[in-house]
Amino acid sequence: MTCRSGRVLLRSPWSFGLAVVLLLAHSQGFADQSKSTHELIVFSAPSPASGTLLIHGTADVVAMGPVIEGFQKAHPEIEVRYRLYETVPLYQEALTATDDKPAADLLISSAMDLQVKLANDGHIQKVSVSAAGLPDWAIWRDEIFGFTLEPAVIVYNKDAIERTEVPKSHQDLIRLLEVSPERFRRKIATYDIEVSGVGYLFATTESMLSANFWRLAHALGVAEARLYCCTQDMLDSLGRGDAVIAYDVLGSYALRQAEVQRNLGIVLPEDYVVAVSRTIVIPRKARHAALARTFVEYALSEAGQTVVSDAFGLSIAGLGADREQMKARYLAEKPGVLNFPTLGLPALTYLDAVKREQFVKTWQRIVSPQSGVP
């Protein structure tokens, strides 16, 4: 239901399923509408409300909704308000929070490096939570908590790409584009790393992992790749037929889209797999820090991680099992070496202003020379 202010109101969490069906029916993904307008989705308390939790997040409501519902089943007296952002605006909003407007109680983002920067610059609270079963790298200084595992995948249109030419690795994708640049001109979708925080994180991580990163960037440039801010925009481009391959797509979005669009195939690269973790932090100015801590503990609990695994594709607890889960969910016979997300000061390497500007400009000159970057 939409009220006059333009906010989407879910009268109760159990109305969520119907809402999802309606949202998926739109040709334009709900995530992108919400990210552009910062609409507020309200999950009313199932029982008389005694508290309200305000979450700012980059995960779309289709994935995040079940996690919020699970939390409310355990805490039915809590109303949850969820405002959707792109990664960079969410970071900027956290930086400019003032005492005269409600600050978010939780920030959830796939741009781990930006979350680390917020913590390192003193904008995040330290909190002790129970996190049994989580790997050490998923928690940093009791300030940042990873709760999902999101591999970067390649998505393709089965009607446009022959089975024998499906790129099973980054090297395969390079060869495919180099052999047939005209065939794929304006038919490849990927992130615009200047505006996408997670796209920039993927790019900088891959540049350190692979000697062929800039060769792939050149192949994308020759093919005049279409650049997007968000994963859902990339998938929508495939759906419209504007693109036939999308590169570095967040796995959870790809899995969900492939369920409703059967002509999409997903590749978990055989050479290496870059992954991010959606992280939760409690801002220093959060007004309901104790309640926020309760939500974090739920998301990291066994019950919460079970919901996360279903909603996002992979959980972060029990990674030994998740490797098999990864094979099954992404139909990959040989998933590549999984490069675990980096939480901590090393994540700030490419957030240095000079390094970031230099990296983005170099990438733009190669991938998007028409942008006029000198």
Side-chain angles (χ1 to χ4, degrees), residues 83-298:
R83 193 181 294 279
L84 198 52
Y85 283 81
E86 295 171 20
T87 48
V88 173
L90 182 140
Y91 168 78
Q92 293 169 334
E93 176 79 9
L95 286 180
T96 58
T98 59
D99 294 333
D100 60 351
K101 66 178 181 179
D105 299 308
L106 287 167
L107 302 177
I108 297 176
S109 177
S110 55
M112 304 178 304
D113 49 351
L114 295 179
Q115 297 277 68
V116 170
K117 183 161 178 57
L118 284 175
N120 199 55
D121 292 346
H123 298 286
I124 304 302
Q125 295 188 30
K126 185 183 294 288
V127 58
S128 177
V129 301
S130 174
L134 264 70
D136 291 342
W137 60 260
I139 302 174
W140 188 58
R141 296 195 325 194
D142 288 330
E143 293 176 318
I144 304 178
F145 305 89
F147 75 104
T148 75
L149 191 65
E150 291 269 10
V153 301
I154 301 169
V155 185
Y156 64 96
N157 185 325
K158 295 178 183 178
D159 298 330
I161 307 296
E162 296 292 335
R163 189 172 181 179
T164 55
E165 61 183 3
V166 172
K168 295 182 179 180
S169 66
H170 297 84
Q171 189 67 33
D172 284 351
L173 180 59
I174 292 171
R175 283 194 290 263
L176 185 65
L177 298 182
E178 288 180 343
V179 169
S180 307
E182 287 301 322
R183 174 187 170 192
F184 293 103
R185 191 172 302 280
R186 303 293 293 158
K187 291 294 184 180
I188 308 297
T190 193
Y191 286 111
D192 182 344
I193 70 167
E194 184 177 20
V195 299
S196 170
V198 70
Y200 179 74
L201 179 59
F202 278 149
T204 53
T205 301
E206 290 182 46
S207 73
M208 293 184 284
L209 285 174
S210 173
N212 286 319
F213 171 78
W214 291 110
R215 181 180 167 192
L216 175 55
H218 181 265
L220 292 171
V222 172
E224 297 180 12
R226 296 174 179 268
L227 306 182
Y228 297 95
C229 74
C230 316
T231 288
Q232 189 60 51
D233 280 350
M234 293 155 63
L235 293 170
D236 288 343
S237 179
L238 285 175
R240 292 190 302 269
D242 295 339
V244 296
I245 295 175
Y247 173 65
D248 268 358
V249 175
L250 285 170
S252 61
Y253 287 70
L255 286 172
R256 189 175 66 238
Q257 193 80 7
E259 288 177 357
V260 297
Q261 194 174 338
R262 296 295 183 177
N263 68 328
L264 294 185
I266 302 174
V267 173
L268 200 65
E270 289 181 354
D271 43 1
Y272 62 87
V273 179
V274 176
V276 297
S277 175
R278 290 187 188 273
T279 57
I280 310 179
V281 300
I282 303 177
R284 182 167 50 84
K285 294 186 177 181
R287 297 187 178 183
H288 307 102
L291 187 54
R293 176 182 178 275
T294 303
F295 188 94
V296 173
E297 285 203 318
Y298 168 76

